Amino acid sequence: MILALYYVTCAICVFHGQAWRFQPTEPFPPPVLNHDDATLQAVFRSIDTSISKAAQSDSLPWNSNITSFSIALTSSSETLWTSSHTATVLGDYTDSPPSNVSDDTYFRIASISKVFTVLAALIAQEARNWTLTDPITAWVPELLQSAHTRLVDWEDISLESLASQLSGIVREYGQSDLIDPSEVRQYGFSEPVEAGLPPVDGDDVPPCGRNRPGERPCTPKEILDGLVRRPAMFAPNDRATYSNMNFVLLGLALEALSGQSYEDIVAQRIFQPLGMKHSRLTKPRDGEGVIPNVANDWNADIGTYGPTGGIYTTASDLAKLARAILNHKMLGESTTNAWFKPHSYSPSWSFAYGMPWEIFRSSDLLPDSNRIQTIITKAGGLRGYTSQLLLIPEYNLGIVVLVAGDGNALAWLREELLKAFVPAVEGIARRQTTQRYSGTYIAADKHINSSISVDVQGSSGLVLTSWISNGTDFLATYTQMFQHVSGSAAPGKVQLTPSLTKRGSSESDVWRAQFVQDELPPAAGVIDMRLITDVDTFTYASRSVEEFVFSMDPSGVASKVHLPGLRITLRKQRQRQREVVPDDTWVRSVRNLMRPLGM
């Protein structure tokens, strides 16, 4: 047998010289989440109480008197829970009076708008209208027609480079420029010269785009003229750095492709198909939204900046977007899977850039495990408004948090929601996997001594507790073969991991076996290749030994399992229904997490 790289998934690995527990990610199929689930209802009550008490507390790191928020939790099929809070003190409403905040209240979502821009670009690619490998100059040729010296290799910047923050171009044009006295005043200076900045040539002063009352937004020509005069920060595709200009250019490319305005593109391709009736790029009536009693950009006309941060929407509508992404309504499954993947690293071990996602990985979300979980996010911020969309594909879960007022509320709310809901949904995933798959499966022919027994073991997921093939303890055989290949006799278990693919019919679920070692010795060198994923280590006569194909009955419970490599189908033994009660543990863990807050 030739193995280019052997596979080891360990339970304890060494990181910076320290042992830490590692488990294969996504060990359960995404759970079916229902609003009426008893576990979720208990968590809803707990978090409702916690948020209500927090809003009345003086010990929070944010001011609840001037802060409003709207939150939505959604599965891939329905909104599960919402929560809203209206600040005691609101800002100035001019065209209509304020109303209590709900999940249908408009907020400015700032850079979450970038998700709509990339989604529109991906829809166009699936329709074969363009490809994201196209250079931006194919759609915005004005970048090559400037009389100024070429300061950026525009032909080397693709649409994908823009969408993934890899273009290397500048962050802004007009916005946040320190030539604007209002910008330096926030740092304690009355004028730029007081801060030590020199007088400048008037030709260098942006004539537009400073998001201030009475000032007009930049036209596309003004933005392009300004961009070609700025040198690149980095070479294209060298490293990611945040740039709003990437999405302004991507929006201009979409307009060139379609012959429509960006506003019409997102309305016709996203808002309308998803029934997002409370989403727009023009300001709604004041009373339909929330205006905080702090300096804010509620009235700011962003204009050409719309593709990077111009959308007004609601928690209810963003939950619709989250569902459409998770259930592949707008894009094919393959495209969505690719969309969730990182495009570049950041200086942090736990953070990567996507298109336009900010992708985080955490091992701190489960009370009984440090299994790594991936959270796909996009945050946004304008003066007075902070927001975040979070997707956890492992659970088909989406969270929307919209804040107007004290921006510190966003991080607090996000952390409390994740600490409450992730353990609860994990508990549901464990329960449902136990109910659907756990049990003993035996050969229909009583003369054939072949069987398997599987059960859920905590955060490890579905584990083979017995595997007999033709009278042989194949669990021991498989373990022996793996230990030989890996060069380690460390004990472990054989875990089944869902591949989330079907075989033959929509009622057949494919799982893959993998040996998970209980512990590993410290890495021998700087590069540790023992965690490379390889779940097709052994084949027998061209069929995988590690493939398990479960057939489901009409109620969604496994009735048999086919092992292609061993050429046998095993039928599930009938057994007395056992009580599955992992949920109370998870509810208690959520309550324990809340106790440090005095709630």
Side-chain angles (χ1 to χ4, degrees):
M1 172 168 45
I2 299 175
L3 291 177
L5 295 168
Y6 67 81
Y7 167 72
V8 176
T9 305
C10 61
I12 297 178
C13 297
V14 174
F15 184 68
H16 291 311
Q18 300 294 321
W20 65 293
R21 184 160 296 277
F22 173 87
Q23 295 170 332
T25 56
E26 302 184 27
F28 303 99
V32 176
L33 301 177
N34 187 298
H35 171 270
D36 297 324
D37 186 281
T39 299
L40 287 179
Q41 283 295 319
V43 178
F44 297 158
R45 290 191 295 271
S46 176
I47 196 70
D48 278 335
T49 300
S50 299
I51 290 177
S52 177
K53 288 183 178 179
Q56 301 170 27
S57 171
D58 295 327
S59 60
L60 287 174
W62 50 280
N63 186 343
S64 62
N65 291 324
I66 61 169
T67 304
S68 303
F69 59 77
S70 183
I71 303 168
L73 178 81
T74 184
S75 68
S76 60
S77 59
E78 65 171 333
T79 294
L80 301 169
W81 172 82
T82 62
S83 179
S84 301
H85 170 72
T86 306
T88 305
V89 182
L90 294 169
D92 295 329
Y93 289 67
T94 58
D95 63 22
S96 52
S99 56
N100 287 333
V101 173
S102 73
D103 58 336
D104 284 327
T105 298
Y106 282 98
F107 288 71
R108 296 213 76 156
I109 61 167
S111 286
I112 297 180
S113 304
K114 293 176 172 67
V115 175
F116 293 85
T117 304
V118 175
L119 177 56
L122 289 169
I123 291 171
Q125 178 171 262
E126 281 204 336
R128 301 185 183 277
N129 294 328
W130 68 5
T131 173
L132 294 188
T133 58
D134 288 350
I136 182 59
T137 52
W139 301 99
V140 188
E142 296 90 336
L143 293 167
L144 297 177
Q145 297 167 1
S146 170
H148 295 281
T149 302
R150 184 77 61 80
L151 299 175
V152 175
D153 295 326
W154 294 106
E155 302 100 320
D156 294 333
I157 297 175
S158 67
L159 302 177
E160 185 174 2
S161 302
L162 298 170
S164 55
Q165 303 282 25
L166 280 167
S167 69
I169 66 172
V170 298
R171 190 184 200 280
E172 310 284 3
Y173 178 72
Q175 288 194 106
S176 305
D177 197 308
L178 294 176
I179 193 64
D180 183 351
S182 64
E183 286 293 330
V184 295
R185 285 184 198 127
Q186 65 181 314
Y187 305 115
F189 304 100
S190 60
E191 296 289 342
V193 292
E194 184 183 340
L197 297 166
V200 295
D201 189 322
D203 289 343
D204 290 333
V205 178
C208 57
R210 289 180 285 189
N211 288 357
R212 294 293 180 264
E215 293 198 20
R216 63 179 179 82
C218 293
T219 65
K221 183 179 186 306
E222 286 172 326
I223 287 178
L224 295 175
D225 286 347
L227 279 179
V228 297
R229 298 173 66 176
R230 297 284 307 277
M233 295 183 293
F234 302 108
N237 301 311
D238 174 53
R239 69 193 75 180
T241 182
Y242 202 89
S243 170
N244 284 318
M245 290 296 97
N246 284 331
F247 297 88
V248 171
L249 291 178
L250 193 56
L252 293 176
L254 282 165
E255 291 182 338
L257 169 68
S258 66
Q260 296 177 291
S261 68
Y262 176 79
E263 185 174 3
D264 287 341
I265 292 168
V266 293
Q268 294 176 17
R269 289 162 177 75
I270 303 174
F271 296 163
Q272 293 171 12
L274 297 183
M276 298 176 66
K277 298 179 180 180
H278 297 94
S279 299
R280 55 199 296 169
L281 277 101
T282 55
K283 186 185 81 68
R285 290 175 59 82
D286 293 351
E288 297 178 288
V290 57
I291 305 176
N293 190 37
V294 297
N296 66 79
D297 285 327
W298 174 255
N299 291 301
D301 182 0
I302 289 181
T304 309
Y305 272 72
T308 200
I311 292 176
Y312 296 80
T313 190
T314 68
S316 176
D317 269 13
L318 272 184
K320 293 177 182 178
L321 175 71
R323 285 196 289 277
I325 294 172
L326 291 169
N327 65 26
H328 319 301
K329 182 174 182 178
M330 301 301 291
L331 298 171
E333 184 174 2
S334 176
T335 300
T336 303
N337 289 340
W339 191 20
F340 285 160
K341 298 302 182 288
H343 282 249
S344 64
Y345 301 107
S346 79
S348 168
W349 286 101
S350 61
F351 172 72
Y353 284 100
M355 268 194 342
W357 305 115
E358 291 125 17
I359 301 172
F360 294 89
R361 306 194 81 201
S362 174
S363 59
D364 298 325
L365 291 171
L366 300 177
D368 66 341
S369 168
N370 64 356
R371 192 181 79 228
I372 294 173
Q373 294 175 301
T374 302
I375 307 175
I376 312 296
T377 80
K378 187 68 196 83
L382 282 167
R383 289 190 310 160
Y385 296 91
T386 52
S387 54
Q388 194 160 24
L389 170 66
L390 304 97
L391 303 175
I392 310 179
E394 177 175 352
Y395 301 126
N396 272 344
L397 188 69
I399 302 174
V400 176
V401 185
L402 306 181
V403 174
D406 188 340
N408 293 317
L410 175 65
W412 188 92
L413 289 166
R414 178 190 64 222
E415 296 303 307
E416 297 312 307
L417 294 170
L418 288 173
K419 287 190 296 183
F421 289 123
V422 169
V425 175
E426 168 81 7
I428 294 171
R430 296 183 190 184
R431 175 193 4 125
Q432 291 181 354
T433 301
T434 299
Q435 292 171 336
R436 294 171 184 167
Y437 299 96
S438 289
T440 297
Y441 301 73
I442 63 174
D445 187 338
K446 64 181 180 180
H447 299 294
I448 299 176
N449 184 12
S450 293
S451 65
I452 66 168
S453 293
V454 293
D455 198 11
V456 169
Q457 294 185 359
S459 63
S460 296
L462 200 60
V463 173
L464 278 165
T465 57
S466 172
W467 188 0
I468 306 297
S469 177
N470 296 315
T472 299
D473 184 351
F474 201 75
L475 187 60
T477 299
Y478 181 82
T479 300
Q480 178 181 331
M481 291 192 301
F482 179 86
Q483 290 174 334
H484 175 78
V485 171
S486 69
S488 170
K493 57 174 127 357
V494 179
Q495 176 176 326
L496 297 185
T497 300
S499 71
L500 305 184
T501 60
K502 301 292 185 181
R503 183 64 47 77
S505 74
S506 60
E507 288 77 34
S508 296
D509 296 339
V510 181
W511 293 62
R512 310 293 307 194
Q514 50 185 320
F515 189 84
V516 182
Q517 291 186 333
D518 290 335
E519 68 179 87
L520 285 177
V526 174
I527 298 178
D528 186 354
M529 301 180 69
R530 293 173 295 179
L531 300 182
I532 292 176
T533 303
D534 181 358
V535 294
D536 194 25
T537 307
F538 302 109
T539 57
Y540 181 59
S542 300
R543 297 186 188 180
S544 175
V545 171
E546 292 144 323
E547 185 173 79
F548 290 69
V549 184
F550 289 89
S551 296
M552 315 303 285
D553 67 20
S555 68
V557 175
S559 59
K560 58 185 178 180
V561 60
H562 179 59
L563 283 62
L566 301 186
R567 273 74 172 176
I568 194 165
T569 297
L570 308 174
R571 298 190 180 278
K572 191 174 186 180
Q573 279 190 308
R574 288 189 176 184
Q575 55 186 356
R576 189 169 65 183
Q577 183 69 29
R578 71 179 190 176
E579 187 178 6
V580 183
V581 288
D583 301 312
D584 289 342
T585 301
W586 293 97
V587 173
R588 288 197 301 272
S589 73
V590 171
R591 290 172 179 159
N592 290 336
L593 286 168
M594 297 297 179
R595 281 176 185 162
L597 301 169
M599 301 174 184

